[in-house]
Structure formats: C-alpha cells, structure tokens
Amino acid sequence: MIYTIETTREQMLQVAAEKNDFTDEAVVKMSQCLDIYLVEYQKNLKFSRSK
C-alpha cells in the first residue's frame, strides 16, 4: 500500500510539473485517487492497532 501511495504521489507531482498546473483535470483525478489510498491506509493502520 505504501508503494502505491508513493508511486501515485510521484506521478501526480510529475504530471503537475509537466503541465505547470496543479488544477489540471489529470492532476486533480490523481490527487483524488491518492486521497482514497491514504484513507484506506489509515483505516488499515487503525484496525491493526486495535487488535
């Protein structure tokens, strides 16, 4: 999961740099995917700590 988060973050930053625009549709979509991954990761952490 951490690999997916880091890879997505790096790709998002690369696209933002290429387009020179953090509000580009592709960048926003990647950011939204990253948000989903981060929430899932945090849920997994919380669940594993509660055991």
Side-chain angles (χ1 to χ4, degrees), residues 1 5 33-47:
M1 179 62 92
I5 290 169
C33 285
L34 185 57
D35 289 344
I36 292 168
Y37 297 149
L38 288 168
V39 169
E40 189 63 32
Y41 178 73
Q42 289 174 338
K43 284 181 183 178
N44 289 339
L45 276 181
K46 184 177 179 181
F47 180 74

Side-chain angles (χ1 to χ4, degrees), residues 1-8:
M1 179 62 92
I2 292 174
Y3 176 79
T4 302
I5 290 169
E6 286 300 318
T7 303
T8 304

Side-chain angles (χ1 to χ4, degrees), residues 5 21-22 24 27 46:
I5 290 169
D21 184 4
F22 277 97
D24 182 82
V27 176
K46 184 177 179 181

Side-chain angles (χ1 to χ4, degrees), residues 2-30:
I2 292 174
Y3 176 79
T4 302
I5 290 169
E6 286 300 318
T7 303
T8 304
R9 184 183 66 82
E10 289 171 10
Q11 290 173 347
M12 178 188 70
L13 292 174
Q14 181 179 355
V15 171
E18 289 171 1
K19 298 194 179 245
N20 199 27
D21 184 4
F22 277 97
T23 60
D24 182 82
E25 184 178 346
V27 176
V28 172
K29 285 183 179 184
M30 294 179 90

